[in-house]
């Protein structure tokens, strides 16, 4: 079974209130992350027809602050599917409802895993991509997963050798003071 990207797209909008703000008067990043997790769940559950859990979150860059009184809109779509997992792409925009000025606040990628009634990973439908952007998003998700796997393999290896990397640290604000053995 396959489903289109459009069949599981989800969009939510919410007015940002003073109770959502941090000490500097901007909307708290943790609050936005909570909303993003909710929309990722809704999108993945809609695609899979199952309860889903968050397995990982990749690349959350807060580009622009969100102000109290702005309308935040989040758009989510399934960008990639594996056998039991899905990568949900989320775009967050805010709008000043008095001036209609919109700004891109962040984009992120949530990896969600479908679960069966016993809590075991469950197979998800494949993905039908209908345009160049959907194909590009699918390919970018593969690239992110491969890069993440390569980084994990490289640095978690029992064969990791600090000597192979020391000169790469030149020019960075780090002072290496290793104990003598």
């Amino acid at each position: 079974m396959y489903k289109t990207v459009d069949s599981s797209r989800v969009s939510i909008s919410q007015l940002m209130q003073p109770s959502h703000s941090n000490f500097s008067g901007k909307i708290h990043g943790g609050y936005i992350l909570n909303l993003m997790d909710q929309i990722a769940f809704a999108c993945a559950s809609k695609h899979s027809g199952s309860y889903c859990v968050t397995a990982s979150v990749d690349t959350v860059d807060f580009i622009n602050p969100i102000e109290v009184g702005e309308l935040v809109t989040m758009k989510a779509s399934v960008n990639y599917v594996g056998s039991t997992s899905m990568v949900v792409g989320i775009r967050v925009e805010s709008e000043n409802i008095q001036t209609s000025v919109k700004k891109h606040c962040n984009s992120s990628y949530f990896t969600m895993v479908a679960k069966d009634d016993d809590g075991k990973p469950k197979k998800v439908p494949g993905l039908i991509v209908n345009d160049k952007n959907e194909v590009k998003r699918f390919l970018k998700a593969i690239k992110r997963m491969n890069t993440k796997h390569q980084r994990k393999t490289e640095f978690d290896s029992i064969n990791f050798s600090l000597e192979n990397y020391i000169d790469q640290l030149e020019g960075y604000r780090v002072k290496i003071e290793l104990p003598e053995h």
Side-chain angles (χ1 to χ4, degrees):
M1 179 176 157
Y2 286 76
K3 287 185 173 180
T4 63
V5 172
D6 284 342
S7 69
S8 59
R9 276 191 211 280
V10 178
S11 178
I12 60 169
S13 295
Q14 186 172 344
L15 186 65
M16 295 295 104
Q17 300 182 22
S19 62
H20 305 140
S21 66
N22 60 24
F23 294 113
S24 68
K26 309 295 184 205
I27 301 305
H28 195 281
Y31 181 72
I32 298 301
L33 283 170
N34 180 42
L35 290 177
M36 292 170 75
D37 192 48
Q38 290 177 41
I39 195 171
F41 168 82
C43 183
S45 294
K46 196 171 176 185
H47 181 81
S48 66
S50 304
Y51 176 76
C52 294
V53 296
T54 307
S56 70
V57 179
D58 191 14
T59 317
V60 180
D61 294 322
F62 292 97
I63 303 164
N64 287 300
I66 300 170
E67 308 288 336
V68 170
E70 290 184 331
L71 184 66
V72 167
T73 299
M74 296 185 183
K75 299 173 185 171
S77 63
V78 175
N79 291 355
Y80 169 88
V81 295
S83 60
T84 62
S85 67
M86 298 149 282
V87 174
V88 175
I90 303 169
R91 181 178 172 91
V92 179
E93 293 178 342
S94 69
E95 178 181 2
N96 180 313
I97 56 178
Q98 294 171 327
T99 65
S100 298
V101 172
K102 292 182 182 178
K103 53 188 177 176
H104 178 213
C105 298
N106 74 37
S107 293
S108 187
Y109 307 96
F110 280 60
T111 300
M112 308 298 289
V113 176
K115 299 287 187 164
D116 66 17
D117 292 338
D118 296 324
K120 304 277 189 243
K122 178 182 175 186
K123 192 169 177 71
V124 300
L127 193 63
I128 299 169
V129 291
N130 288 316
D131 65 33
K132 188 176 177 180
N133 276 336
E134 291 175 0
V135 174
K136 195 164 66 169
R137 288 179 183 141
F138 195 94
L139 290 167
K140 284 172 69 176
I142 293 170
K143 184 76 165 175
R144 273 192 312 279
M145 287 185 302
N146 289 342
T147 301
K148 184 177 180 178
H149 176 72
Q150 179 184 356
R151 186 174 54 244
K152 185 173 175 49
T153 302
E154 180 178 358
F155 290 102
D156 291 353
S157 165
I158 57 171
N159 300 323
F160 175 79
S161 173
L162 186 59
E163 290 75 30
N164 296 338
Y165 294 90
I166 287 289
D167 23 336
Q168 291 181 26
L169 297 174
E170 286 182 35
Y172 289 94
R173 293 183 43 92
V174 61
K175 187 182 206 180
I176 301 169
E177 296 179 353
L178 300 174
E180 297 291 322
H181 289 291

